[in-house]
Amino acid sequence: MSAFKTLDDLGDVAGKVALVRVDLNLPMQDGLVTDATRIRAAVPTINDLCAKGAKVLLLAHFGRPKGERHSQMSLSMVVGAVEKVLGKEVMFVPEITGDVVAQTVGILKGGDVAILENTRFWKGEEANDPELARAIAANADFYVNDAFSAAHRAHATTEGLAHVLPAYAGRSMQAELEALDKALGAPVKPVAAVVGGAKVSSKLDVLKHLVTQVDHLMIGGGMANTFLAAKGVDVGKSLCEHDLLDTATDILANAEASGCTVHLPYEVVVSKEFAANPGSLRTCNVHEVAPDEMILDAGPLAVEALADALKTCRTLVWNGPLGAFEMEPFDAATVSLARTAAALTIEGTLTSVAGGGDTVSALNHAGVAEDFSYISTAGGAFLEWMEGKELPGVAALSA
Ligand code: ADP
Ligand code: MG
């Protein structure tokens, strides 16, 4: 991991102005914030800067206004929710550059917080216009990026600002980068990766990268069917991307060449209908799937084999459920392996990092999210990191 500065590297910033890029792209319903997780993620950085006496200007995007003002996407809507989490008053500024921001900076005292308007109201944000970055920077002394979830985008407030102001990683960004580094950057070996979910096509680059990085690749979910089919298994009515069989074969060959052991389920849970607790439910060997059946989960013996392999590993990175976990009993494999990973983490033999929208809900469903070493809620940025890509927002911090 290339070096980046953190808030520990800040000198005396009392009275100085910090531009802090955070993730305030909050889920809302009827004008109210329904989940404050992303606000809470920004609190350590905000509190740290306030304690140091800095004036904090929060920058964030909200929705997809495509370079125009839309009152229903104004960040003024989240001010109340941020005040509630921070436990103090927060000013709102309907601009991101110019005199209005300058006047606000004049009014703010050290330790005060203001939210600037939705950065995506300005076309220069997504275009990463250096003019816009300079104009935003003109009202501040330094830049802190605490939005890992937006770091895969090279936008003015996620990347450009790092080139025009002294740049620092915020506390959440720092925690995420340190956790991801432990999982794939410089992991303790052997390393296992669990990759599941619906389709190979959505995670092709993840799979291609991981076979060169990990010792054990455990493929589950719908995407395992494509690999099984590539190996000549008849997967019946299962979700399967038949146009990707050659790609799957290539990935398996690359894994072999890299010394990566690929685990595919040899025992599966099948049913004739895509429904909870169906009458046609049964568990069988992968070679015994009937033409009118579909594979909806890995079987208990297959999961036991995965658990045994995991016990030999020191690091785990997990994206994607092993089965159609939203419906019982097709959550069983995911829940079982997640509990094994959690137990090994608690014992101290395993560093476990997981991410992905459905993966996070599956781990919550299994009741083990708290027990993993680190859970990323960054979505797209997490996947791009699993693809081995350099994230522009992170690269700019390290420059
Ligand atoms: P994440 O959001 O964590 O990246 P994905 O979106 O790739 O995960 O995959 C999750 C989806 O994959 C879930 O909706 C789940 O039902 C589906 N899935 C997993 N296994 C199967 C299967 N065998 N057949 C059909 N769908 C599956
Ligand atoms: Mg998903």
Side-chain angles (χ1 to χ4, degrees):
M1 181 167 51
S2 30
F4 52 86
K5 293 201 187 84
T6 72
L7 302 187
D8 298 324
D9 299 305
L10 281 171
D12 178 11
V13 292
K16 294 268 192 319
V17 181
L19 281 168
V20 185
R21 182 57 159 95
V22 291
D23 184 350
L24 292 180
N25 199 21
L26 306 170
M28 310 250 316
Q29 210 170 3
D30 305 324
L32 289 175
V33 172
T34 53
D35 181 350
T37 307
R38 287 171 172 165
I39 304 177
R40 285 194 296 273
V43 169
T45 293
I46 297 171
N47 283 348
D48 196 324
L49 290 167
C50 288
K52 289 180 161 79
K55 302 179 181 184
V56 174
L57 302 180
L58 300 179
L59 286 167
H61 74 273
F62 186 43
R64 298 176 185 272
K66 302 249 151 95
E68 278 165 38
R69 276 189 194 267
H70 286 276
S71 56
Q72 73 279 15
M73 284 184 244
S74 169
L75 271 179
S76 59
M77 308 218 300
V78 311
V79 171
V82 174
E83 287 182 325
K84 208 163 138 195
V85 173
L86 282 180
K88 66 183 192 185
E89 228 176 284
V90 171
M91 266 179 94
F92 176 72
V93 189
E95 300 289 339
I96 56 173
T97 63
D99 292 343
V100 181
V101 179
Q103 282 153 16
T104 305
V105 165
I107 296 166
L108 292 179
K109 291 195 264 314
D112 285 348
V113 180
I115 299 179
L116 307 190
E117 184 54 286
N118 184 349
T119 56
R120 288 193 185 167
F121 282 3
W122 287 269
K123 290 196 167 61
E125 164 71 330
E126 291 181 75
N128 198 7
D129 180 0
E131 290 290 320
L132 181 65
R134 275 194 288 274
I136 299 170
N139 285 311
D141 298 298
F142 63 102
Y143 166 68
V144 177
N145 190 348
D146 207 26
F148 178 82
S149 59
H152 58 315
R153 313 258 187 246
H155 293 171
T157 66
T158 63
E159 201 271 349
L161 278 174
H163 299 296
V164 291
L165 283 174
Y168 302 84
R171 294 302 181 197
S172 288
M173 172 73 89
Q174 182 188 351
E176 181 108 20
L177 293 177
E178 285 169 0
L180 299 190
D181 195 55
K182 272 192 203 140
L184 273 187
V188 181
K189 287 179 164 270
V191 184
V194 173
V195 182
K199 290 183 171 178
V200 172
S201 51
S202 66
K203 291 181 186 170
L204 261 185
D205 292 334
V206 171
L207 294 163
K208 282 183 186 161
H209 179 60
L210 286 180
V211 294
T212 67
Q213 303 292 311
V214 306
D215 305 291
H216 293 272
L217 177 61
M218 305 175 178
I219 302 178
M223 69 172 62
N225 304 334
T226 302
F227 283 90
L228 290 167
K231 295 181 95 173
V233 173
D234 188 346
V235 297
K237 241 185 0 150
S238 303
L239 178 65
C240 178
E241 291 167 284
H242 291 281
D243 53 327
L244 286 179
L245 299 193
D246 289 344
T247 307
T249 305
D250 286 348
I251 291 172
L252 292 173
N254 286 342
E256 178 145 18
S258 308
C260 166
T261 306
V262 176
H263 301 257
L264 287 165
Y266 58 87
E267 183 206 37
V268 288
V269 180
V270 298
S271 132
K272 289 183 181 161
E273 60 267 286
F274 195 67
N277 300 304
S280 57
L281 182 76
R282 71 185 188 101
T283 299
C284 66
N285 184 281
V286 272
H287 295 287
E288 292 163 356
V289 179
D292 60 346
E293 287 178 324
M294 57 193 139
I295 302 170
L296 290 171
D297 200 14
L301 292 176
V303 178
E304 218 176 287
L306 294 182
D308 285 341
L310 193 57
K311 282 171 194 155
T312 69
C313 294
R314 301 292 310 278
T315 302
L316 165 69
V317 47
W318 185 333
N319 170 257
L322 295 178
F325 76 100
E326 298 95 334
M327 274 184 310
E328 285 193 2
F330 308 113
D331 58 337
T334 305
V335 168
S336 168
L337 193 65
R339 292 196 175 144
T340 300
L344 293 170
T345 307
I346 291 167
E347 276 171 29
T349 61
L350 189 73
T351 296
S352 52
V353 172
D358 291 292
T359 309
V360 176
S361 23
L363 296 180
N364 279 323
H365 168 71
V368 299
E370 300 288 311
D371 301 327
F372 269 56
S373 309
Y374 191 80
I375 301 268
S376 172
T377 54
F382 178 83
L383 270 188
E384 289 201 19
W385 167 79
M386 275 191 76
E387 292 168 359
K389 291 198 180 128
E390 179 166 71
L391 310 188
V394 175
L397 284 181
S398 310

